[in-house]
Amino acid sequence: MSLVKLSIKGISYSHTQNGAYALILDEVGGERKLPIVIGAFEAQSIAIAIEDEIKPPRPLTHDLFKNFSDRFDIVLKQVIIHKLVDGVFFSSIICERDGIEEIIDARTSDAIALAIRFFAPIFTYKSILDKAGIILNNSSIETDKEVSVNKVERTSQDPDKVREDAVDDYSRFSLTELNRLLEQAVLSENYEKAAKLRDEISKKEL
């Protein structure tokens, strides 16, 4: 299976759920976007890592992991988003120490927060991008440097349950209606809703 490199486009606040954000990844050399719903803590950690001029007074969890790894000569080489099940992305981080590689399972939001700090590339498989990627006709979302940490409020919400707690039920819509709603969500830059609609479309196409 071929890997596709991704870059971080930005973070979009959820229009339908408090404390939820959509992390937008760009297909390098392509037109597709991969929106991933993440929690507020992870969104804040990613935003801080992107905005180089902002330094928290004490290290965040992902900063602590980076400091720990540096101290023991552990290098994070790359992140791979390797699986998508029921709208949930699964990722692995590939680390190396003394020439020995290790593959560690991680939540995608954590893996990307670490990848930024290690300047490590992010990949996914073409099959996942084919299934979950969306093409924006009029992309005007926030770019990396425009992501404001002030917009990302702390919350105790578990990001792994963001999708489970969603109140929107799109299962009653037909494929035609879902595709129309997806187009409207993309045009209105509601990427969190677009991600849910995309997942429902994938279920119906199986």
Side-chain angles (χ1 to χ4, degrees):
M1 292 185 289
S2 59
L3 288 173
V4 178
K5 190 173 183 180
L6 302 170
S7 63
I8 298 174
K9 176 67 175 177
I11 299 173
S12 173
Y13 183 71
S14 168
H15 295 262
T16 59
Q17 282 182 252
N18 289 330
Y21 293 79
L23 171 66
I24 314 299
L25 301 177
D26 267 344
E27 175 187 16
V28 175
E31 298 180 350
R32 289 174 292 186
K33 316 288 181 186
L34 190 65
I36 300 175
V37 177
I38 63 176
F41 174 79
E42 290 76 14
Q44 182 186 58
S45 182
I46 290 170
I48 287 175
I50 289 172
E51 297 188 4
D52 297 329
E53 66 276 11
I54 296 179
K55 300 295 181 184
R58 300 294 294 163
L60 301 177
T61 302
H62 299 112
D63 298 317
L64 177 60
F65 185 96
K66 174 65 164 60
N67 295 339
F68 178 90
S69 300
D70 289 344
R71 183 65 61 88
F72 291 95
D73 298 321
I74 300 170
V75 178
L76 193 156
K77 297 184 66 178
Q78 62 183 8
V79 164
I80 299 177
I81 304 171
H82 62 83
K83 187 167 63 174
L84 173 62
V85 179
D86 294 331
V88 178
F89 292 90
F90 293 78
S91 294
S92 297
I93 56 177
I94 289 80
C95 299
E96 182 180 87
R97 182 173 184 265
D98 295 333
I100 300 175
E101 280 192 1
E102 297 286 349
I103 300 176
I104 303 173
D105 181 47
R107 293 188 307 173
T108 297
S109 53
D110 289 329
I112 291 174
L114 291 172
I116 299 170
R117 288 163 168 82
F118 281 88
F119 302 100
I122 303 166
F123 297 94
T124 191
Y125 289 109
K126 182 178 181 297
S127 58
I128 292 178
L129 197 56
D130 289 341
K131 180 180 179 181
I134 59 176
I135 297 178
L136 310 185
N137 295 323
N138 181 23
S139 177
S140 60
I141 67 171
E142 297 169 289
T143 58
D144 293 353
K145 293 301 180 181
E146 292 173 340
V147 177
S148 173
V149 180
N150 293 330
K151 294 181 182 178
V152 185
E153 299 176 355
R154 290 184 178 273
T155 178
S156 59
Q157 182 179 16
D158 184 350
D160 287 340
K161 296 183 179 178
V162 167
R163 289 186 178 276
E164 297 175 15
D165 297 338
V167 296
D168 298 313
D169 179 15
Y170 300 112
S171 60
R172 66 183 185 277
F173 293 101
S174 67
L175 268 175
T176 301
E177 292 171 326
L178 287 170
N179 280 295
R180 178 176 55 80
L181 289 171
L182 175 60
E183 183 177 354
Q184 292 174 352
V186 169
L187 288 175
S188 63
E189 300 180 16
N190 189 340
Y191 299 106
E192 186 257 353
K193 180 178 179 181
K196 293 175 184 173
L197 287 163
R198 174 204 62 200
D199 295 339
E200 188 62 39
I201 289 171
S202 296
K203 290 179 186 176
K204 288 184 178 293
E205 290 178 338
L206 291 178

